[in-house]
């Protein structure tokens, strides 16, 4: 596998280095959590001559005696060095039954900078506060971005051709080992099925696997459309048999916890308030959407919208769906005091389409930047005060914010 420097996440870990918090690297299964932690451990050991980095991979059979939390605790305690910068890295921490007892005890004693990764079945976001009672910081990673995809394959191909490939292949780097697309999608489907069956069905003892599967497929198919547990329950009840909004709401929460989907809440631009209904959900990886659903009901605009949403997350923005009277603005992106209004389109080559996409942005009277991101394949330009960027080049950081 080619090496990709995931600088955004390495910088995030670097900013937290030395703090008292337990750093927990989270992300969808096979998104690169273990590789990121190994890279950070190697970097700190290289840069700090006073390092005492203790790396424990609990999948390694040599560490099988440490799968009991008292033994794990003794091992860590015995490897502490006075006067050194002691860093503890534990991969697949959930394999040790009662691991939180050992980790919390080591943390309470002090003297260690602690980093963890593990299976989503045991380290869902909703579990962390219970396991570590507020003494942790979550470093969340996503599948490869377009820029990381390009870096993986050498970054020498034509940008637009690489973009078309990336949309279909997605960002799960393990799938890149397979030259045959059917094998690549088979790998992604296996990851997806493992998330549903091991990370969710087994963990939460869900009684109806079929409803979970149909819900996930429906959310992929309608990614980027406003939805609620009520209206999804009505659709699935009509098509798949009996269910209800309570079950659907709970299953949607589980899918978000496992990072299969991310939620974009709505924001009333005029009223300056967040809305609690009709949120949108975006699938975490375009390759997963292709692997599970193929090209059925393909809506390129919604697909590109999801890619922009995920990239805004990578860049540290809080992102909402904007509502202004009866108009919708695809995204209201906030980062500190910065605020940007964004529309996303697959094609603005005709005057009528361009006017339709510009209309919601032009209805906003505030002076904050307004951006239209589309497949222009051109240099950026300004139209009626709106900045127009090419999607592929914006994703690479070559244009815009």
């Amino acid at each position: 596998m080619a090496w990709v420097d995931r600088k955004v996440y390495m910088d995030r870990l670097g900013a937290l280095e030395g703090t008292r918090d337990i750093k927990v690297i989270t992300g969808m299964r096979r998104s690169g959590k273990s590789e990121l932690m190994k890279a950070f451990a190697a970097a700190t050991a290289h840069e700090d001559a006073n390092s005492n980095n203790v790396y424990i991979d609990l999948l390694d059979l040599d560490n099988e005696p440490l799968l009991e939390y008292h033994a794990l605790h003794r091992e860590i305690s015995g490897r502490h060095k006075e006067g050194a910068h002691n860093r503890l890295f534990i991969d697949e921490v959930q394999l040790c039954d009662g691991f939180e007892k050992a980790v919390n005890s080591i943390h309470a004693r002090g003297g260690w900078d602690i980093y963890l990764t593990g299976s989503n079945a045991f380290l869902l976001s909703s579990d962390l506060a219970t396991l570590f009672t507020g003494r942790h910081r979550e470093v969340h990673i996503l599948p490869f971005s377009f820029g990381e995809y390009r870096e993986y394959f050498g970054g020498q191909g034509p940008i637009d051709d690489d973009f078309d490939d990336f949309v279909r292949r997605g960002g799960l780097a393990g799938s890149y080992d397979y030259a045959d697309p059917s094998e690549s999608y088979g790998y992604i489907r296996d990851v997806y099925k493992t998330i549903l069956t091991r990370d969710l069905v087994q963990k939460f003892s869900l009684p109806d696997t079929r409803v979970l599967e149909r819900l996930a497929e429906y959310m992929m198919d309608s990614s980027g459309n406003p939805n609620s547990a009520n209206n999804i329950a009505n659709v699935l009840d009509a098509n798949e048999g009996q269910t209800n909004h309570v079950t659907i709401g709970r299953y949607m929460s589980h899918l978000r916890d496992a990072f299969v989907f991310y939620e974009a809440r709505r924001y009333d631009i005029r009223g300056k308030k967040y809305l609690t209904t009709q949120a949108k959900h975006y699938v975490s990886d375009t390759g997963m959407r292709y692997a599970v659903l193929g090209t059925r009901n393909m809506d390129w605009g919604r697909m590109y919208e999801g890619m922009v949403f995920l990239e805004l997350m990578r860049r540290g923005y809080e992102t909402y769906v904007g509502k202004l009277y009866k108009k919708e603005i695809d995204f209201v992106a906030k980062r500190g005091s910065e605020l940007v209004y964004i529309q996303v389109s697959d094609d603005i080559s005709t005057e009528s389409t361009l006017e339709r996409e510009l209309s919601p942005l032009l209805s906003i009277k505030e002076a904050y930047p307004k951006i239209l991101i589309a497949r222009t394949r051109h240099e950026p330009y300004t139209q009626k005060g709106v900045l127009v960027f090419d999607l592929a080049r914006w994703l690479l950081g070559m244009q815009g914010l």
Side-chain angles (χ1 to χ4, degrees):
M1 180 179 290
W3 170 250
V4 174
D5 179 13
R6 309 200 75 182
K7 186 176 186 304
V8 170
Y9 308 120
M10 291 288 280
D11 288 349
R12 169 78 169 140
L13 286 168
L16 293 173
E17 185 185 1
T19 64
R20 280 277 294 154
D21 306 293
I22 299 167
K23 275 71 73 175
V24 186
I25 302 173
T26 64
M28 187 175 69
R29 182 178 286 272
R30 298 297 180 185
S31 57
K33 299 185 293 293
S34 296
E35 292 302 318
L36 176 67
M37 191 166 75
K38 288 176 186 175
F40 186 72
T44 54
H46 176 74
E47 295 164 3
D48 182 2
N50 197 31
S51 287
N52 176 39
N53 284 6
V54 174
Y55 196 102
I56 300 173
D57 179 0
L58 290 179
L59 274 177
D60 190 330
L61 278 178
D62 288 343
N63 291 322
E64 188 172 13
L66 306 182
L67 299 184
E68 192 277 328
Y69 72 90
H70 293 96
L72 179 63
H73 188 272
R74 284 193 298 271
E75 173 72 12
I76 298 166
S77 299
R79 295 176 68 177
H80 184 274
K81 292 183 179 179
E82 289 298 325
H85 295 154
N86 295 281
R87 300 182 189 90
L88 172 64
F89 302 88
I90 308 179
D91 197 7
E92 297 296 341
V93 67
Q94 82 287 342
L95 293 176
C96 174
D97 188 25
F99 68 88
E100 70 278 8
K101 298 175 184 177
V103 171
N104 282 328
S105 175
I106 293 295
H107 176 269
R109 291 185 177 188
W112 285 99
D113 193 10
I114 303 173
Y115 302 82
L116 309 175
T117 72
S119 164
N120 283 341
F122 296 87
L123 289 180
L124 298 172
S125 292
S126 56
D127 294 333
L128 295 178
T130 301
L131 290 170
F132 303 122
T133 59
R135 297 188 293 267
H136 76 280
R137 296 294 296 276
E138 190 173 348
V139 178
H140 184 66
I141 73 171
L142 292 160
F144 273 11
S145 66
F146 181 39
E148 290 169 330
Y149 174 86
R150 289 255 300 168
E151 183 180 346
Y152 183 98
F153 288 104
Q156 301 301 313
I159 289 174
D160 294 303
D161 291 347
D162 283 353
F163 176 81
D164 290 338
D165 289 340
F166 174 68
V167 173
R168 291 172 173 81
R169 299 188 70 172
L172 293 178
S175 68
Y176 304 161
D177 290 342
Y178 304 94
D180 185 336
S182 64
E183 295 295 337
S184 179
Y185 287 138
Y187 168 90
I188 297 172
R189 280 192 295 272
D190 286 345
V191 172
Y192 169 75
K193 290 175 182 175
T194 301
I195 293 171
L196 296 192
T197 58
R198 188 180 301 172
D199 293 351
L200 298 180
V201 170
Q202 292 181 17
K203 176 180 175 62
F204 295 107
S205 302
L206 302 183
D208 199 334
T209 306
R210 180 62 177 167
V211 169
L212 179 67
E213 291 172 348
R214 294 302 299 140
L215 169 63
E217 290 181 12
Y218 180 87
M219 291 174 69
M220 283 188 189
D221 202 19
S222 62
S223 182
N225 288 324
N227 270 317
S228 68
N230 272 325
N231 60 38
I232 294 177
N234 290 335
V235 171
L236 295 186
D237 191 21
N239 295 335
E240 302 296 332
Q242 189 172 7
T243 188
N244 58 70
H245 73 279
V246 175
T247 297
I248 293 300
R250 186 169 67 251
Y251 285 14
M252 289 172 73
S253 177
H254 294 334
L255 288 166
R256 290 193 298 267
D257 274 343
F259 312 117
V260 180
F261 296 94
Y262 292 92
E263 182 182 53
R265 293 165 55 200
R266 292 198 304 156
Y267 178 75
D268 184 344
I269 294 171
R270 182 171 179 267
K272 307 296 182 189
K273 61 182 179 181
Y274 302 104
L275 305 174
T276 58
T277 59
Q278 295 291 303
K280 291 186 177 184
H281 287 85
Y282 295 99
V283 66
S284 60
D285 183 66
T286 55
M288 184 170 287
R289 197 267 182 215
Y290 261 96
V292 175
L293 298 183
T295 58
R296 84 178 190 217
N297 301 329
M298 182 61 70
D299 184 330
W300 291 106
R302 297 297 185 191
M303 182 78 83
Y304 297 158
E305 193 179 307
M307 295 175 76
V308 170
F309 177 80
L310 294 174
E311 186 62 25
L312 288 167
M313 283 183 61
R314 291 186 183 97
R315 298 182 188 184
Y317 287 89
E318 294 179 24
T319 307
Y320 305 90
V321 177
K323 175 185 177 295
L324 185 63
Y325 301 105
K326 293 185 178 181
K327 294 182 183 293
E328 180 181 285
I329 289 80
D330 287 337
F331 297 124
V332 180
K334 299 182 177 184
R335 186 172 63 183
S337 61
E338 183 183 358
L339 189 147
V340 184
Y341 296 109
I342 300 172
Q343 284 290 103
V344 182
S345 180
D346 60 335
D347 180 15
I348 54 171
S349 58
T350 67
E351 189 66 27
S352 60
T353 305
L354 177 59
E355 290 298 323
R356 187 187 70 228
E357 296 295 343
L358 289 174
S359 176
L361 294 172
L362 295 176
S363 67
I364 303 171
K365 303 309 178 186
E366 299 174 357
Y368 292 108
K370 302 172 182 67
I371 296 172
L372 173 58
I373 301 174
R375 289 299 314 274
T376 69
R377 298 175 174 82
H378 296 302
E379 295 301 309
Y381 64 94
T382 302
Q383 185 79 13
K384 297 183 179 180
V386 176
L387 293 166
V388 182
F389 297 136
D390 173 65
L391 173 59
R393 287 153 185 84
W394 178 83
L395 289 171
L396 292 175
M398 299 167 62
Q399 297 181 4
L401 56 106

